[in-house]
Amino acid sequence: MVGNLLLRGMLVGILAGLFAFGFARIYGEPHIDSAIAYEEAMAAASGEPAEEEEELVSRETQAGLGLLTGSVVYGAAIGGLFSLVFAYVYGRAVTLGPRATAGLLAVAAFIAVVLVPALKYPATPPAVGNPETIGARTELFFIMLIVSIIAAAVAVVLARRLWSQLGGWNAGIAGGLAFIVIIAIAQYALPTVNEIPEGYSADLLWRFRTSSLGMHAVLWTVIGLAFGAVAERALPGARARTA
């Protein structure tokens, strides 16, 4: 059954990757083009000589086939991992049906994996960020990501232990507060990175970051809804349990 769910999860992830590609192609890529144009304009204004470098991958390929391939592969990987987590928590951490479990899990994953790390270290377009610090910035982002996932796990465990004593609603609030406290401490302790050039367009930066979050929101929404539907068909007795 786990293997069956894994296959379905990867297929759902591919579907979600296609939707995410469509969103990124329409709403994300124009902002990247604007950021590249801004970078070139700033270089020209500063009098830097134009560097003639051989283009390994054209911008058209990056925004087309490259983006499609990356979205589909990423979606398949996320869908597979999602199915494994679903198989573990279904009937254990929650007693909901497949659709509700998948939806709740997708929302929790989006918050822990995407939203919380992005609040501390948001995505940056071209011309933002020092190339010499990319390694350190990547390391800080993954530290925040790991802390967020651990905090989510702690919140779930705490809520389950308090469930019988406080009831579902109060236990959920206690778990949520524990998550917020851990995240607040981590975001305060970790260093802030601000490498936005002076005079950079705030509107462009905002649109780029919101489109990046939007792409992930589309991905997780499709995974949560679609996987819940296919899991309901795959799991024996799921329809009766849902009813």
Side-chain angles (χ1 to χ4, degrees):
M1 182 56 66
V2 174
N4 188 12
L5 289 176
L6 176 61
L7 176 59
R8 291 169 185 258
M10 294 181 69
L11 292 176
V12 166
I14 292 174
L15 176 65
L18 292 174
F19 274 90
F21 164 74
F23 181 91
R25 191 73 175 86
I26 296 173
Y27 295 101
E29 288 301 319
H31 303 319
I32 296 180
D33 290 335
S34 299
I36 292 174
Y38 178 87
E39 184 179 26
E40 293 174 348
M42 291 296 293
S46 64
E48 296 180 4
E51 298 181 2
E52 296 293 336
E53 296 183 359
E54 183 180 355
E55 193 175 40
L56 299 178
V57 181
S58 67
R59 175 72 188 119
E60 181 179 356
T61 301
Q62 294 175 15
L65 182 60
L67 177 61
L68 174 62
T69 303
S71 299
V72 169
V73 172
Y74 178 76
I78 291 297
L81 290 173
F82 182 87
S83 67
L84 295 178
V85 176
F86 175 91
Y88 177 77
V89 303
Y90 180 68
R92 295 185 178 91
V94 295
T95 57
L96 302 172
R99 289 178 182 266
T101 300
L104 183 62
L105 185 60
V107 171
F110 174 77
I111 293 174
V113 176
V114 178
L115 185 59
V116 168
L119 290 176
K120 181 66 177 181
Y121 302 112
T124 55
V128 174
N130 185 351
E132 297 180 357
T133 64
I134 188 171
R137 286 186 282 119
T138 302
E139 181 179 345
L140 289 172
F141 175 84
F142 277 103
I143 291 174
M144 188 68 250
L145 174 62
I146 293 172
V147 170
S148 181
I149 294 174
I150 293 175
V154 169
V156 172
V157 171
L158 178 62
R160 289 192 64 192
R161 290 187 175 181
L162 296 177
W163 193 284
S164 59
Q165 303 175 19
L166 304 179
W169 181 256
N170 291 331
I173 292 176
L177 289 176
F179 177 79
I180 293 174
V181 169
I182 295 173
I183 294 303
I185 294 173
Q187 297 215 356
Y188 178 79
L190 290 172
T192 300
V193 177
N194 183 10
E195 298 179 346
I196 302 174
E198 183 178 355
Y200 194 87
S201 172
D203 180 69
L204 176 58
L205 185 63
W206 169 257
R207 291 179 181 275
F208 177 86
R209 288 176 172 174
T210 53
S211 63
S212 175
L213 285 175
M215 183 187 71
H216 287 285
V218 169
L219 180 82
W220 284 105
T221 299
V222 174
I223 288 178
L225 295 177
F227 185 82
V230 299
E232 189 176 59
R233 293 177 175 271
L235 294 170
R239 290 183 179 274
R241 181 175 182 176
T242 303

